[in-house]
Amino acid sequence: MYDVRGRRIATLARGPVPDAVGETSLAWNRRTDRGERAPGGVYFVSVVARSAHVEFVKRVVVLP
């Protein structure tokens, strides 16, 4: 997860995701990597799946 300034604020997953065949979902508890609650705002999720040659960024709006 990145804020609008491009700073990484949270890592949802790193490395192989177990059972990541087909569609996979991850939940974010709105906590930053430092354990703080992230405020409402616009964030970006960067997804890279090297084995499937997929890379994209998704915009997420978090309500306060």
Side-chain angles (χ1 to χ4, degrees), residues 1-27:
M1 299 286 297
Y2 295 86
D3 65 11
V4 294
R5 293 182 179 169
R7 297 176 296 193
R8 187 177 72 221
I9 60 156
T11 303
L12 303 181
R14 175 167 271 144
V17 176
D19 302 322
V21 177
E23 188 173 317
T24 300
S25 63
L26 296 170

Side-chain angles (χ1 to χ4, degrees), residues 1-3 7-14 27-36 38 43-46:
M1 299 286 297
Y2 295 86
D3 65 11
R7 297 176 296 193
R8 187 177 72 221
I9 60 156
T11 303
L12 303 181
R14 175 167 271 144
W28 180 40
N29 62 5
R30 284 186 69 173
R31 296 285 173 193
T32 68
D33 284 343
R34 297 189 315 188
E36 302 164 339
Y43 296 93
F44 298 89
V45 180
S46 173

Side-chain angles (χ1 to χ4, degrees), residues 1 28 30 39-45 58-64:
M1 299 286 297
W28 180 40
R30 284 186 69 173
V42 177
Y43 296 93
F44 298 89
V45 180
K58 176 77 175 173
R59 183 183 66 205
V60 177
V61 176
V62 176
L63 301 175

Side-chain angles (χ1 to χ4, degrees), residues 33-57:
D33 284 343
R34 297 189 315 188
E36 302 164 339
R37 184 165 170 81
V42 177
Y43 296 93
F44 298 89
V45 180
S46 173
V47 176
V48 178
R50 287 184 179 85
S51 62
H53 307 290
V54 173
E55 185 171 343
F56 64 91
V57 175

